[in-house]
Amino acid sequence: MPMNTTKRRRPLSDADIEAAYRRQDERLAREPLATKVRYVPSRDLVLIEMNNGASLTIPRRLLQGLNDAAPAELRHAWIAEQGTVVSWPDLDADFTIMSLLHGVYGGKRWMSELARRGGEAKSKAKARAARINGAKGGRPQKTVAHGRNRRG
C-alpha cells in the first residue's frame, strides 16, 4: 500500500498575504521594467523604454509572431504584468522583459532558426576571412589528444 506523502498546508493568513505582496513589490523595485513600448516604422523596430532610463531596441523581424504583422497591429502593443511583459494581444504575442534582455526573442525553434540564418549571413569581412582561410588550406582538421592527464 503506497504511503501518502501529501503534506497539508496551513491556511494563509492576512499577514502571509501582505508579506507576499511586500516581497513582490520589493522584487519589482529592483527589476528592470518596461514603461513604454512603440513600433518605429521608419526603422522597422520595436522600442521599449525601461524604468531605469535605458531603452531596448529590437528589429521587428527578430520577434516571433511579429514578422508578418501590419503596422497598425504593431502599434497596438501593451505593457502588462506591472512592466514585466510586453504584449501584442491582437497577434497573440507576449514577451517577458527579462527574456528580451537576455536576447530570447521566441521559442526554441524560433531561436534555432534565427541562429541558423545568422550563420548564413554574408558580409565582406566574412568573405575575406573565408578567402584568407582557403588560401591557407582551409579550416584545420580537429585533432584528438592521446594519452592520459598526469597530475604531479
Side-chain angles (χ1 to χ4, degrees):
M1 180 173 204
M3 194 164 106
N4 186 355
T5 59
T6 305
K7 293 183 180 180
R8 289 190 179 212
R9 295 185 181 176
R10 66 176 175 85
L12 291 176
S13 68
D14 287 344
D16 294 330
I17 294 169
E18 284 300 317
Y21 279 125
R22 270 194 311 279
R23 286 191 305 273
Q24 172 72 358
D25 290 342
E26 289 167 4
R27 183 183 67 84
L28 289 174
R30 292 187 309 268
E31 192 172 293
L33 303 171
T35 57
K36 187 176 180 183
V37 60
R38 65 187 173 104
Y39 173 63
V40 182
S42 61
R43 297 182 54 207
D44 197 25
L45 56 81
V46 172
L47 174 66
I48 302 168
E49 295 179 20
M50 308 296 287
N51 63 341
N52 61 6
S55 295
L56 182 59
T57 56
I58 306 168
R60 175 181 59 111
R61 65 178 168 70
L62 296 180
L63 295 165
Q64 183 176 2
L66 302 188
N67 205 28
D68 297 326
E73 292 173 309
L74 294 167
R75 284 192 292 271
H76 190 236
W78 298 92
I79 302 296
E81 303 297 323
Q82 296 179 309
T84 62
V85 173
V86 178
S87 178
W88 283 263
D90 297 343
L91 301 170
D92 195 25
D94 302 300
F95 302 91
T96 66
I97 294 303
M98 293 310 286
S99 293
L100 294 174
L101 289 171
H102 286 98
V104 178
Y105 306 124
K108 284 185 179 184
R109 281 189 183 160
W110 179 260
M111 294 304 293
S112 292
E113 181 62 21
L114 285 180
R116 187 189 66 74
R117 280 189 268 152
E120 293 176 349
K122 296 190 174 29
S123 68
K124 290 180 182 180
K126 192 172 181 180
R128 182 175 173 268
R131 278 193 306 277
I132 291 169
N133 200 27
K136 294 178 182 177
R139 183 174 287 182
Q141 292 184 351
K142 291 183 180 178
T143 58
V144 178
H146 294 285
R148 295 191 319 221
N149 272 342
R150 294 187 184 174
R151 293 182 186 190

